[in-house]
Amino acid sequence: MSNTPLPSTRMEQFVALSSVLTGFTTDTLAPSLDPTDPPLKKLYLDAADASSSQTVDALLAAFAKLAGQPSQSIANTLLETASAQPTATAQMARSILKLWYLGSWYPPTSILATDGTVVAMNAYIGGLAWSAMQAHPMGYSELKFGYWNSPPPPLSGVLPPDEANHG
């Protein structure tokens, strides 16, 4: 993020923010040829906006002010990882993070695992948790029969180069 110009559209800003929060590349989150209809990025921004578009706007503004800093530093700041009492924007950032990984919307003030609502079937299938685990959702796989007999594919390509080499 340090040498990348700021995205121009709100959707591009949301994807760039989501990339920093999740640790996955923007190309992974918003591929140029997106196989989902509607695209997950739209479903997710719509879900966040339905909760509070003003808080999303405040989060995007805070993200823009941090441009140029290392991604992990930005994520820690926006998620308020050191705070026992996170602000509304940090709670929104946490909800967006959960949404990308789990495919379910958890209201920003929620602390219960049972409060999540799956936003769409594609959201469950497209959850980043599956890629992070190098697995696939139960009942859904695009891999050939017997794939489990081989090591999982590398994480390169879905994580930024500096992150893919650590895992």
Side-chain angles (χ1 to χ4, degrees):
M1 182 79 199
S2 59
N3 295 326
T4 306
L6 284 176
S8 58
T9 69
R10 189 168 186 265
M11 181 59 74
E12 290 171 343
Q13 293 167 357
F14 178 74
V15 171
L17 164 72
S18 297
S19 176
V20 168
L21 293 176
T22 64
F24 280 79
T25 64
T26 56
D27 289 339
T28 299
L29 301 181
S32 57
L33 295 174
D34 198 324
T36 60
D37 185 31
L40 293 180
K41 64 184 181 184
K42 179 177 178 1
L43 287 172
Y44 293 174
L45 181 55
D46 288 349
D49 279 339
S51 177
S52 173
S53 61
Q54 295 86 357
T55 306
V56 174
D57 288 341
L59 179 59
L60 292 172
F63 173 63
K65 287 180 184 175
L66 297 169
Q69 295 184 25
S71 293
Q72 188 62 58
S73 177
I74 295 171
N76 289 343
T77 300
L78 295 176
L79 293 166
E80 296 180 15
T81 56
S83 176
Q85 299 294 324
T87 63
T89 55
Q91 289 175 335
M92 179 62 75
R94 293 173 183 191
S95 290
I96 291 169
L97 176 64
K98 290 176 201 174
L99 181 56
W100 278 105
Y101 271 90
L102 305 174
S104 294
W105 178 255
Y106 289 84
T109 58
S110 171
I111 58 170
L112 300 175
T114 56
D115 286 347
T117 303
V118 176
V119 296
M121 178 188 75
N122 289 337
Y124 170 74
I125 292 169
L128 296 177
W130 304 117
S131 293
M133 292 186 296
Q134 296 176 291
H136 61 82
M138 292 179 285
Y140 180 86
S141 176
E142 294 178 348
L143 301 172
K144 277 178 50 177
F145 178 78
Y147 69 89
W148 55 84
N149 196 31
S150 302
L155 288 173
S156 60
V158 296
L159 296 176
D162 59 326
E163 299 291 330
N165 295 330
H166 293 16

